Amino acid sequence: MSATDVLAVLNGTGTSDIDNPSSTVETATAYELLRVDAALWPRIRKLIEADIRDAPRERQKAIGPSELGTDCPHCLAAKLAGWPRRRGAAWLPFIGTCVHEHFERMFARLNPQGFDPNMGQRPYETEMRVTVGELHGLAGGYPVQGSIDLYDRHSASTIDWKMSVPPPCRT
């Protein structure tokens, strides 16, 4: 598969150099179907992006602990003011959520299994709910709550998973 093929799929365009254009849906590979039906990827992408936009994280109104640590005062002020965000599907936060979910399952498997009423024998706790403080403003206040991604009992450490993308190359 070439970079041109990947871009064609992402842009929802097809190419016409299929070896066997008469191949049927029943015998075609997924790759061939994407190349034959140029409208398939846009339909699939629309379903995926609608699901991403409908995720609980995207509907969250209250500011969480991670948002308080932003380097952008304008972004923090906009969030505090309740300004609506206008953006497309948030692919990078979605990918980060997928990674978080994988780590949550992985560390749950690393814990000893069985009943432990005080969880003292479990070295790891994932998604531990915490309240880190309160925000007060003209319209009242509310507690700032969030989740610790991973708590390691042996070292008494908290871990906050962050996904980052390197900046684009500039010439």
Side-chain angles (χ1 to χ4, degrees):
M1 180 183 319
S2 70
T4 304
D5 292 330
V6 171
L7 289 174
V9 170
L10 290 174
N11 291 324
T13 61
T15 56
S16 59
D17 63 338
I18 299 172
D19 295 335
N20 184 9
S22 63
S23 65
T24 64
V25 171
E26 292 80 21
T27 61
T29 67
Y31 177 68
E32 289 171 329
L33 286 173
L34 285 173
R35 295 184 74 196
V36 171
D37 184 358
L40 178 60
W41 173 244
R43 288 194 314 266
I44 297 298
R45 184 176 182 159
K46 185 176 179 181
L47 292 170
I48 293 168
E49 290 181 345
D51 187 68
I52 291 171
R53 282 189 297 274
D54 194 40
R57 181 182 181 102
E58 293 300 308
R59 295 190 311 264
Q60 175 183 326
K61 300 288 186 212
I63 291 181
S66 294
E67 292 166 302
L68 289 175
T70 182
D71 291 339
C72 177
H74 175 79
C75 297
L76 180 57
K79 185 75 174 180
L80 286 168
W83 293 355
R85 291 186 304 182
R86 289 192 175 90
R87 66 178 187 192
W91 279 91
L92 292 177
F94 169 72
I95 292 167
T97 299
C98 293
V99 171
H100 275 69
E101 289 173 356
H102 174 80
F103 288 165
E104 184 176 358
R105 288 189 306 273
M106 182 189 86
F107 282 98
R109 284 192 313 268
L110 293 174
N111 280 327
Q113 301 301 308
F115 182 70
D116 181 8
N118 64 6
M119 296 183 12
Q121 299 302 312
R122 294 181 181 188
Y124 305 109
E125 186 169 348
T126 60
E127 298 302 318
M128 184 185 341
R129 297 295 297 168
V130 295
T131 300
V132 298
E134 292 185 3
L135 282 177
H136 298 279
L138 297 174
Y142 60 90
V144 178
Q145 299 176 323
S147 296
I148 295 173
D149 294 334
L150 179 67
Y151 178 67
D152 181 329
R153 280 192 174 78
H154 294 302
S155 66
S157 301
T158 60
I159 292 102
D160 186 28
W161 307 120
K162 293 295 178 199
M163 303 299 299
S164 63
V165 176
C169 296
R170 297 176 198 260
T171 56

